[in-house]
Amino acid sequence: MFIADRLLSSLVGIGLLMGAMTMPCFAFDTQNEVKEDSSPFALFKFGFSAYKNGHKDEAVKALRFAAEKGHQGANWKLARMYAEGDGVKEDDYEAYKMFEQVVQEGADQGTENESYVADALVALAGYVKRGIPNSPINSNPGAARDLYLQAASNFGDSDAQFELGKMLMKGEGGQPNPNQAARWFRLSAQKGNAGAQAMLGNLLFQAGKTVRGLAMMTAALEHANKQDRVWIGDIQEQAFSLADEADRRTAMVLAEDIIKTGDF
C-alpha cells in the first residue's frame, strides 16, 4: 500500500510542522509513556512520527489511544498495520472491524477523512469478495461489488474503479457488463492506475484497435509495480505476438508518447 502511505504522509506532514511547537514532548522510549490525556491529534502525530522512525510498538500504542478518542486517521492506520502485519501480528478480521468503523464514521465532503473512508471501502470490498477464514466474514461478491461501486462513485477512488471494472468484465457479483467495465477502466487509467491502463488497452486491442491497444499496454507495463508487471507483461507479450511488424513499430512510438504525456 505504498500509495496509501504516501497519502498519509502528505496529509500529516503539514500538521507535523505546524504543530511542532505545541506538540507534547514524547521520546521514542518505553520509559516515557504516551500520555492518554493528550489530544487525539497530538497522539496521532506522535504515532505517525514513531512509525516513520521505526518505533512501531510506540506507534501502535499512540495510535490506539488516538483511535479510542475518535481520530479517524489513527483508526485507519491501525487497520492498515493489522491488514499487513506491519508492527503487529497480521489479523484480517481485526483490520476488517477497524476499516468498517472508519466507513461508518464517514467523512464530510472536501475533508482529509474522505481518503481514509475511500481506502477503507476498498479494503472492506476485498475482504468481502474473498471472505476471511475463521471469522463471520464470508465471501459475498455481490456485496463486494457494491462497496467498490460506492468508493468508485462517491470518492473517485482509482483502485475501486479498477477492481469494479474487473468484476464487471468477469460478471462477478452480478451480470457482466463490458461497456461499463471499459468506462471504469478509463476513469481509473486517467488517474494513473497501470492495471486499468493495461486492461483498457487489452479491450481496445481485442476490439480491433491494434496500435492504440498495444501502445497502452506497453506504456502501462513501463510504470507498473513489480507485482502488476507480471500479468501486464503476459497480456502485452501475447498482443505483441499477434500484431504485425508495422503495427508493432507504430505502437512502440505511440507508447513512448503516452509515457511522456501521461495521456491514456
Side-chain angles (χ1 to χ4, degrees):
M1 288 290 172
F2 297 116
I3 294 175
D5 277 337
R6 286 200 300 270
L7 175 62
L8 180 62
S9 297
S10 64
L11 293 173
V12 175
I14 295 176
L16 284 171
L17 293 174
M18 295 181 65
M21 297 301 295
T22 57
M23 178 178 171
C25 183
F26 297 128
F28 300 130
D29 186 344
T30 55
Q31 300 300 317
N32 188 356
E33 294 293 324
V34 175
K35 297 178 182 178
E36 296 183 50
D37 60 352
S38 299
S39 72
F41 187 55
L43 290 165
F44 178 55
K45 287 192 294 183
F46 171 75
F48 179 76
S49 294
Y51 178 86
K52 283 296 185 182
N53 283 279
H55 302 276
K56 295 184 179 179
D57 287 344
E58 290 289 289
V60 169
K61 188 175 184 180
L63 290 170
R64 198 177 299 283
F65 284 148
E68 289 172 356
K69 291 188 173 192
H71 195 287
Q72 200 169 23
N75 205 19
W76 170 82
K77 183 57 180 175
L78 278 174
R80 276 272 153 240
M81 293 176 77
Y82 274 101
E84 297 163 13
D86 183 11
V88 293
K89 182 179 179 180
E90 185 175 344
D91 189 329
D92 286 333
Y93 184 50
E94 188 67 21
Y96 176 92
K97 291 186 289 185
M98 291 179 177
F99 283 129
E100 187 175 45
Q101 184 177 346
V102 171
V103 170
Q104 288 175 347
E105 289 174 358
D108 293 329
Q109 187 174 5
T111 65
E112 63 187 33
N113 287 345
E114 283 191 317
S115 62
Y116 301 137
V117 175
D119 185 79
L121 279 167
V122 174
L124 288 178
Y127 283 132
V128 171
K129 182 180 177 181
R130 62 182 179 269
I132 301 175
N134 303 314
S135 83
I137 310 305
N138 298 315
S139 175
N140 187 335
R145 189 155 141 173
D146 289 341
L147 288 167
Y148 282 133
L149 178 60
Q150 187 178 345
S153 300
N154 296 347
F155 298 99
D157 187 274
S158 65
D159 289 333
Q161 291 168 343
F162 173 50
E163 295 296 337
L164 179 58
K166 288 195 296 182
M167 294 191 80
L168 286 163
M169 279 295 300
K170 298 176 183 177
E172 294 178 300
Q175 292 296 316
N177 192 326
N179 289 334
Q180 281 297 310
R183 172 179 175 269
W184 289 115
F185 285 145
R186 181 173 297 281
L187 289 171
S188 182
Q190 290 170 345
K191 295 182 175 75
N193 188 298
Q197 292 163 355
M199 290 294 288
L200 184 59
N202 193 39
L203 286 176
L204 290 172
F205 184 87
Q206 293 178 19
K209 298 181 180 180
T210 304
V211 172
R212 182 68 180 174
L214 184 55
M216 289 182 66
M217 284 184 277
T218 302
L221 180 63
E222 181 69 21
H223 71 272
N225 60 39
K226 184 177 180 180
Q227 182 177 353
D228 286 339
R229 284 184 67 86
V230 176
W231 68 265
I232 293 176
D234 287 344
I235 63 172
Q236 191 267 357
E237 287 177 12
Q238 182 178 10
F240 202 81
S241 68
L242 296 173
D244 61 38
E245 184 63 24
D247 284 344
R248 292 176 190 171
R249 291 180 180 276
T250 306
M252 293 305 100
V253 173
L254 180 57
E256 291 180 4
D257 184 59
I258 290 174
I259 292 167
K260 289 178 182 178
T261 64
D263 182 13
F264 279 84

